[in-house]
Amino acid sequence: MQINYKISTANMDTRNKHLPLVSFVVTYHNEEISLLRKCLDSIASLSLSKEEREIIVVDDGADISPVNELDDYADELIYVRQPNRGLGMARNMGISIATGIFLQFVNSDDYLLAKAYEKCLDIVRFKDPDIVMFNFSHNESKAKDIDAFNPQPITGTEYMRNNSLRGKACAYVFKRDILHNLRFPNDIVNEDEEFTPQLVLRSERLYNLDIPAYFHRGQGGVPKHKEDKRQSLKRLDDTLTVIRRLNRRADTLPYEERQAMNRKVAQLTMDYLSDIIVSTRSRHFLNERLEELESEGLFPLPDKSYTKKYILFSRMMKSSTGRGILLLTLPMFSKRTNNY
């Protein structure tokens, strides 16, 4: 069911003549209404006029629709309710509806940090980017000061070859036209990791703003320590699915793009192995998965100097002794060497 609250004929005519600058796709599923309203308020408080912004709320099968609590947005909100199909499918619905030149995904329990996000909008308005990348904050009061700066654009390929890519799709505002047929997969729970690297590789003008412009309330999903065995295995299997798909995708790319994707595959494989260790503490299960990765050419990890964490982890994983140490020390090891 879709309810479009833009009922004014004048508004609709304006929208047809002038595309919104940014479409904000807000995904909702049983979060507190107060959090959803704070999210929407953060969007409405930006310097974008009503004609420059489009707010799409995709209700992914919430137990109770929030629509009756959103009357004060009735003149500008596009609300869509669908059966519960997961975050990726909710975002895909938003993509199919969006008319803005740029797209921004926002989780309904998160919100935009106005002062920093205005810097992103400055780039959007005046620099003709394909993608503007920014950081998350988990504590708004600790967000660093935003000084004047003049970032320069690079290609997405160049960025991915030299940096460990941020996987969360909410960390980007991007030009809708670069999507083409790219959509979120519908059969896995960690869909961002498959979507984001393919999006970034499509960018010819990427601006990386090292500023916290998005308040992220948590990691999402079920905390690992509260997962049951079935949930944990599902998450691990889905990560492996993404690794395989991106690895196959890399084989079809030109040389520089292939090198960029290979770095992302190696990063994800390291994260996957770390997750196995933390989730299972099982040497037997780890060795089984290592054999599986080795048979597909994904292990040992490539001998690359990506980050300090990657170098140390990949070296330790090569020996039984090193793996034993990791089984005993992760996640302390991970926290001490978190140099992404």
Side-chain angles (χ1 to χ4, degrees):
M1 176 177 67
Q2 177 175 333
I3 302 174
N4 187 340
Y5 284 106
K6 289 190 174 181
I7 57 177
S8 165
T9 303
N11 283 350
M12 293 300 289
D13 287 344
T14 300
R15 186 180 171 200
N16 289 335
K17 292 177 182 177
H18 304 288
L19 295 177
L21 182 62
V22 184
S23 291
F24 296 90
V25 176
V26 179
T27 48
Y28 176 81
H29 179 71
N30 290 338
E31 289 78 21
E32 293 180 18
I33 296 296
S34 62
L35 298 181
L36 172 60
R37 291 186 58 83
K38 184 166 187 175
C39 172
L40 297 177
D41 287 345
S42 75
I43 297 171
S45 69
L46 298 171
S47 61
L48 297 166
S49 68
K50 289 185 179 181
E51 291 71 31
E52 290 178 310
R53 69 174 183 251
E54 179 178 60
I55 305 175
I56 302 168
V57 174
V58 182
D59 175 352
D60 187 40
D63 295 340
I64 300 175
S65 169
V67 70
N68 292 331
E69 305 293 333
L70 304 176
D71 285 345
D72 46 337
Y73 288 99
D75 64 339
E76 61 177 300
L77 190 70
I78 298 172
Y79 171 82
V80 184
R81 182 170 171 85
Q82 65 179 27
N84 180 230
R85 301 169 63 196
L87 179 60
M89 291 298 95
R91 288 174 174 168
N92 287 344
M93 175 62 77
I95 291 171
S96 71
I97 295 170
T99 63
I101 300 170
F102 288 84
L103 272 175
Q104 172 69 62
F105 297 116
V106 191
N107 297 334
S108 62
D109 54 349
D110 298 336
Y111 57 90
L112 302 176
L113 299 174
K115 184 177 179 181
Y117 199 81
E118 290 291 350
K119 297 292 185 181
C120 302
L121 291 178
D122 287 344
I123 301 295
V124 165
R125 287 182 172 115
F126 304 118
K127 299 293 187 179
D128 189 32
D130 290 326
I131 295 177
V132 180
M133 177 190 304
F134 46 85
N135 294 340
F136 287 164
S137 174
H138 298 285
N139 188 331
E140 185 176 2
S141 65
K142 293 183 179 180
K144 64 184 179 182
D145 292 335
I146 303 166
D147 299 320
F149 61 103
N150 185 29
Q152 298 301 310
I154 60 174
T155 67
T157 299
E158 182 180 355
Y159 181 85
M160 283 180 59
R161 289 185 67 187
N162 295 287
N163 299 273
S164 296
L165 186 68
R166 305 163 198 169
K168 298 290 187 182
C170 292
Y172 307 83
V173 55
F174 60 91
K175 194 171 288 184
R176 184 166 55 92
D177 285 351
I178 71 172
L179 277 174
H180 301 293
N181 63 347
L182 178 62
R183 296 295 184 271
F184 289 90
N186 63 2
D187 57 344
I188 56 176
V189 296
N190 47 358
E191 57 280 314
D192 285 27
E193 294 289 7
E194 184 170 345
F195 175 89
T196 302
Q198 296 183 80
L199 175 72
V200 171
L201 283 182
R202 294 165 187 241
S203 173
E204 295 298 323
R205 291 176 58 80
L206 182 148
Y207 286 83
N208 178 26
L209 276 60
D210 187 22
I211 56 174
Y214 183 106
F215 181 83
H216 187 41
R217 202 166 295 278
Q219 298 303 314
V222 179
K224 292 179 183 178
H225 68 278
K226 293 185 178 180
E227 288 182 330
D228 61 27
K229 184 176 181 180
R230 178 185 57 81
Q231 290 172 315
S232 178
L233 289 175
K234 166 66 174 170
R235 177 170 44 78
L236 291 171
D237 288 344
D238 283 354
T239 302
L240 182 56
T241 295
V242 173
I243 291 168
R244 287 168 168 160
R245 288 175 178 172
L246 293 182
N247 191 50
R248 288 195 297 269
R249 175 65 177 153
D251 290 339
T252 69
L253 298 174
Y255 176 77
E256 290 190 355
E257 293 181 18
R258 184 167 68 251
Q259 295 301 305
M261 186 65 84
N262 284 341
R263 174 169 182 153
K264 179 60 179 177
V265 169
Q267 175 190 338
L268 270 177
T269 305
M270 177 181 68
D271 292 342
Y272 169 67
L273 293 172
S274 297
D275 203 358
I276 288 173
I277 292 171
V278 173
S279 298
T280 71
R281 300 295 178 189
S282 169
R283 183 186 291 268
H284 177 72
F285 186 79
L286 175 62
N287 287 338
E288 281 187 345
R289 291 299 174 105
L290 288 177
E291 290 178 5
E292 191 172 2
L293 290 171
E294 187 172 13
S295 70
E296 300 178 40
L298 293 165
F299 185 80
L301 293 168
D303 188 16
K304 301 287 186 179
S305 300
Y306 291 143
T307 64
K308 292 179 181 178
K309 176 180 178 179
Y310 178 87
I311 294 169
L312 181 56
F313 185 89
S314 60
R315 288 176 179 172
M316 295 181 73
M317 285 300 298
K318 289 180 180 179
S319 70
S320 177
T321 300
R323 293 193 287 272
I325 293 172
L326 290 173
L327 282 162
L328 292 173
T329 58
L330 280 175
M332 289 186 294
F333 164 90
S334 179
K335 291 179 180 177
R336 292 173 181 172
T337 58
N338 189 15
N339 293 307
Y340 282 148

